[in-house]
Amino acid sequence: MTPSVTHPLISAYLRDLEMLLHGIDSGERAEVLAGVHEHLDASLQPSASNDDVRRTLAELGSPQSIADEAYAGHPASRPTDPLAGTPVAHPSSPWPPLVACVLNTLMLVPILFLGWLGGHPSEWLFLGPTFTIPWFILLIMTAKSDAWTSTEKSLSILLIPSIVIGLGLATWLVTWLTGWHTLWLRVVTLAAVVAAAWVLGGLVRSARRHAH
């Protein structure tokens, strides 16, 4: 369920709230998020301005305050501040996801290099095994991250395999249909790398936003 009003501030608010609620039961978490969605739908029009959105979110309260209310009946489900004795949000370290993004970026370099040189379809098959070790480390770093949602983790893990398999199949198909076409492969490879860089940029921003 998503609110009828789509706005970057609302998206960031809901993402932060979902991350803060990770320690409670999934059913209760969904109920809290549904209540926030309903409030936003009732308070904002689809054409709401930035000021309207900010004012409504301020009236609703910070994601932390809503999470505190949700955790009120579950004190053992989240860590507490040893001085204040109050629940605090689980810290999200940016390092595991950032290391995963660096590894993804490093693996994009040989992909771009091979595609630009017009690699033969069989060469793409041998490129995959060379990524085994860095991809395995990437898998561990992604799994350790508590700053990403499950969708973002899937993007991090599947980004390189999908590009390698996709470019390999596309190169084989075009070679079979039309013969060797280096220019076509360069264009497709460049487009794939640019799209991957855009995805990685979003993952980095998400990791930094949820770091405490």
Side-chain angles (χ1 to χ4, degrees):
M1 178 179 180
T2 57
S4 59
V5 181
T6 57
H7 191 281
L9 292 175
I10 293 178
S11 299
Y13 183 97
L14 293 175
R15 178 174 294 182
D16 289 343
L17 178 57
E18 184 176 2
M19 293 297 299
L20 290 170
L21 293 173
H22 77 283
I24 65 175
D25 177 75
S26 59
E28 187 172 351
R29 179 169 62 249
E31 184 177 348
V32 173
L33 291 172
V36 173
H37 290 161
E38 292 177 3
H39 178 85
L40 293 174
D41 287 340
S43 304
L44 292 169
Q45 298 296 323
S47 59
S49 65
N50 290 343
D51 290 339
D52 292 335
V53 172
R54 291 191 183 94
R55 182 168 53 253
T56 299
L57 292 178
E59 293 173 352
L60 184 60
S62 68
Q64 184 67 65
S65 65
I66 295 178
D68 288 341
E69 292 181 8
Y71 279 106
H74 311 279
S77 63
R78 65 185 297 181
T80 59
D81 187 324
L83 297 179
T86 57
V88 297
H90 188 278
S92 299
S93 172
W95 293 113
L98 291 180
V99 170
C101 288
V102 169
L103 289 172
N104 267 319
T105 302
L106 291 176
M107 286 187 283
L108 284 176
V109 175
I111 291 176
L112 179 61
F113 184 74
L114 180 59
W116 193 259
L117 292 180
H120 191 272
S122 61
E123 294 178 307
W124 289 101
L125 297 178
F126 290 102
L127 186 61
T130 65
F131 290 157
T132 300
I133 294 178
W135 187 83
F136 183 71
I137 297 174
L138 180 151
L139 181 64
I140 295 175
M141 292 294 100
T142 300
K144 287 172 62 66
S145 171
D146 55 2
W148 280 342
T149 64
S150 57
T151 299
E152 291 169 334
K153 289 183 178 182
S154 298
L155 286 174
S156 174
I157 293 172
L158 299 177
L159 184 63
I160 294 300
S162 61
I163 291 178
V164 172
I165 295 173
L167 288 177
L169 291 176
T171 302
W172 173 82
L173 181 61
V174 171
T175 301
W176 179 65
L177 292 175
T178 65
W180 201 244
H181 203 317
T182 303
L183 178 60
W184 180 91
L185 180 58
R186 287 179 177 177
V187 172
V188 173
T189 302
L190 183 60
V193 171
V194 170
W198 182 81
V199 170
L200 288 174
L203 292 177
V204 170
R205 289 191 295 272
S206 178
R208 295 180 64 182
R209 183 168 59 250
H210 293 106
H212 299 296

